[in-house]
Amino acid sequence: ICVIIYYKVPNFEQIKSNIINLIYKIPETPYVEGTNKISHTDYKHEDNKKEYVNFFIENILPDYHNNLRKKLGVNTIHISNLWFQVYRKGDFHGRHTHEKTHFTNVFYINLPDKKLTTRINKPQQQVLDIEEGTIVTFPGYFEHESPVNNSNQEKIIISFNIDIHSYLD
């Protein structure tokens, strides 16, 4: 089954600069490992002072959660991990999957060029047609990648993994 769900954040233009400012409160931390070169991320850093996470949970998650629950026909959604990534010129994220999670999500905050959207390579190859302010949700086992940013502008995303639960009455 090829399930890709798109969710447009309703008030994105009003909150975009807030999210970006909160992300930049996190000290600059690059992630360069194997087939990855990302200028700034908190992927491997545990810190309780992630104000952007609280902002996301309070301002975006409730409506997204309700929308996704209805589309998938499930009772609950649990976020198992959440991080941001800032891709500057020359940055990329090689092919990978997200293990031990039902779905992975990419929230596009700053997207200078549609050529920079996530490429899903398996089960079928496709480039996602995304606009800023969109959260795309797809199975964690789908192999995907972020192409090289050849733009002088930053691509900024928040990614998070979720697990779904449906309880029988």
Side-chain angles (χ1 to χ4, degrees):
I1 297 175
C2 184
V3 177
I4 299 175
I5 298 170
Y6 300 89
Y7 172 76
K8 182 74 173 164
V9 174
N11 57 343
F12 177 71
E13 289 304 318
Q14 290 79 28
I15 62 174
K16 178 181 175 177
S17 62
N18 289 341
I19 296 171
I20 292 172
N21 290 337
L22 292 171
I23 284 173
Y24 275 103
K25 283 185 156 188
I26 306 288
E28 190 89 8
T29 310
Y31 178 65
V32 180
E33 182 180 287
T35 60
N36 303 305
K37 180 182 178 291
I38 302 166
S39 289
H40 186 30
T41 183
D42 64 344
Y43 175 65
K44 292 212 173 202
H45 300 278
E46 293 299 320
D47 184 350
N48 293 331
K49 297 177 184 172
K50 295 182 180 183
E51 293 178 56
Y52 81 92
V53 173
N54 293 333
F55 186 87
F56 179 83
I57 289 170
E58 292 170 11
N59 295 282
I60 298 165
L61 191 61
D63 192 49
Y64 164 80
H65 183 264
N66 289 332
N67 181 280
L68 192 62
R69 280 181 47 240
K70 288 177 189 169
K71 285 188 177 186
L72 294 175
V74 298
N75 293 9
T76 61
I77 295 171
H78 170 73
I79 292 180
S80 56
N81 199 359
L82 188 144
W83 65 96
F84 73 85
Q85 294 179 175
V86 176
Y87 296 85
R88 296 192 179 120
K89 189 167 189 165
D91 288 356
F92 56 92
H93 196 154
R95 288 183 180 201
H96 64 286
T97 61
H98 293 222
E99 297 176 359
K100 300 178 184 174
T101 191
H102 294 142
F103 290 93
T104 192
N105 305 266
V106 182
F107 176 27
Y108 293 89
I109 299 168
N110 198 62
L111 187 63
D113 188 336
K114 285 193 175 208
K115 293 177 187 171
L116 296 176
T117 59
T118 302
R119 291 185 190 146
I120 294 180
N121 300 307
K122 290 185 180 174
Q124 61 195 28
Q125 189 169 29
Q126 67 186 101
V127 176
L128 303 177
D129 184 21
I130 303 293
E131 298 176 0
E132 286 182 357
T134 301
I135 299 173
V136 62
T137 301
F138 54 92
Y141 68 87
F142 279 16
E143 187 178 84
H144 58 285
E145 65 186 310
S146 182
V148 175
N149 182 358
N150 291 315
S151 168
N152 289 321
Q153 297 179 23
E154 296 174 334
K155 170 185 167 181
I156 303 173
I157 61 114
I158 291 176
S159 190
F160 57 102
N161 294 330
I162 60 171
D163 295 313
I164 59 174
H165 303 279
S166 187
Y167 303 101
L168 300 174
D169 293 337

